[in-house]
């Protein structure tokens, strides 16, 4: 707990009312961080402070003084899916010239399944067709982000099976841009363990302009 107090004291969690957002808030506060939630409606995040503002209306002034921003944006319907690209672009556009680190709750579809890094998970025959539109826009957002050198970002991909109601085991493994599996050979991680990993990454720093992946232990 002392680590985050020495390194990162103020953290903004954007779109903090979502399931992952609330868990990230909880884990950060458990580490002693001073957390401000940015939410579009009534605050349900449990954060120390809350700002009611749409993500597209967030300004550089809003984020001034924070050590890190965690982007927890999520959208699922056809009309809202493009928001994965536009909201991440907007947050990245307001951060250049600052020391604020950007951490992104990313997707698994763009992880590679081969050592040669030629085939992404979303391109494999068994990838569920229903998730292709979401994986595609999240992949586009990531491709755009990794082309930027004016923002200190870290993109955090979950395992293929991202389990909303899975338990918090307190154990996980970090990887890079290759799809990983757990001790049973399954690529899975719970929201709760992913949120813990995200809080640890914010606490520890590093991984600047890198993609990190998280899998259950």
């Amino acid at each position: 707990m002392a680590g985050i107090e020495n390194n990162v004291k103020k953290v903004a969690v954007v779109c903090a009312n979502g399931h992952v957002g609330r868990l990230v808030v909880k884990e950060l506060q458990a580490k002693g961080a001073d957390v401000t939630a940015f939410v579009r409606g009534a605050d349900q995040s449990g954060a120390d402070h809350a700002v009611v503002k749409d993500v597209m209306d967030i300004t550089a002034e809003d984020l001034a003084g924070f050590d890190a921003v965690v982007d927890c944006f999520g959208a699922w319907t056809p009309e809202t899916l493009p928001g994965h690209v536009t909201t991440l672009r907007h947050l990245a556009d307001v951060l250049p010239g600052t020391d604020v680190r950007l951490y992104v709750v990313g997707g698994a579809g763009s992880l590679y399944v081969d050592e040669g890094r030629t085939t992404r998970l979303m391109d494999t025959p068994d990838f569920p067709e229903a998730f292709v539109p979401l994986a595609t826009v999240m992949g586009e957002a990531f491709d755009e982000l990794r082309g930027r050198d004016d923002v200190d970002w870290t993109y955090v991909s979950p395992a293929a099976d991202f389990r909303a109601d899975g338990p918090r085991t307190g154990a996980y493994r970090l990887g890079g841009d290759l799809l990983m599996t757990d001790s049973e050979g399954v690529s899975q991680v719970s929201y709760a363990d992913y949120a813990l990993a995200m809080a640890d990454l914010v606490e520890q720093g590093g991984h600047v302009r890198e993609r990190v992946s998280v899998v259950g232990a």
Side-chain angles (χ1 to χ4, degrees):
M1 290 180 63
I4 202 163
E5 292 173 358
N6 291 332
N7 296 312
V8 179
K9 295 183 179 179
K10 295 189 65 177
V11 184
V13 178
V14 176
C15 303
N17 273 344
H19 194 161
V20 174
R22 295 195 305 271
L23 290 169
V24 169
V25 167
K26 181 179 179 180
E27 294 291 347
L28 285 167
Q29 289 183 156
K31 290 178 172 295
D34 181 7
V35 180
T36 297
F38 282 78
V39 295
R40 189 167 58 177
D43 178 41
Q44 302 172 13
S45 69
D48 301 301
H49 323 282
V51 175
V52 178
K53 180 172 275 196
D54 187 273
V55 58
M56 295 299 291
D57 295 326
I58 293 174
T59 67
E61 290 72 22
D62 290 324
L63 300 179
F66 286 101
D67 298 291
V69 176
V70 182
D71 174 18
C72 298
F73 178 86
W76 315 101
T77 63
E79 61 272 17
T80 60
L81 282 177
H84 284 281
V85 177
T86 57
T87 60
L88 182 52
R89 180 188 301 148
H90 175 72
L91 287 175
D93 282 345
V94 301
L95 291 178
T98 74
D99 294 325
V100 183
R101 289 289 307 275
L102 174 62
Y103 294 83
V104 182
V105 175
S110 58
L111 289 167
Y112 292 105
V113 297
D114 62 319
E115 290 288 344
R117 291 164 173 76
T118 60
T119 303
R120 301 169 301 176
L121 178 63
M122 73 173 89
D123 300 324
T124 59
D126 295 331
F127 191 78
E129 185 175 349
F131 290 103
V132 169
L134 174 62
T136 299
V137 295
M138 294 190 79
E140 291 172 358
F142 174 55
D143 285 342
E144 185 173 312
L145 181 67
R146 67 179 175 179
R148 303 187 66 138
D149 60 4
D150 57 348
V151 180
D152 289 341
W153 56 267
T154 302
Y155 188 91
V156 187
S157 289
D161 185 2
F162 198 18
R163 299 190 170 184
D165 297 321
R168 184 189 186 282
T169 69
Y172 62 84
R173 289 187 297 119
L174 294 181
D177 58 2
L178 284 175
L179 184 72
M180 296 190 301
T181 60
D182 62 17
S183 58
E184 298 179 355
V186 180
S187 181
Q188 64 181 2
V189 70
S190 68
Y191 278 25
D193 284 338
Y194 174 93
L196 172 61
M198 178 66 84
D200 285 344
L201 287 164
V202 173
E203 175 186 22
Q204 296 162 9
H207 300 288
V208 178
R209 297 181 195 139
E210 292 181 0
R211 189 240 291 272
V212 177
S213 55
V214 184
V215 70

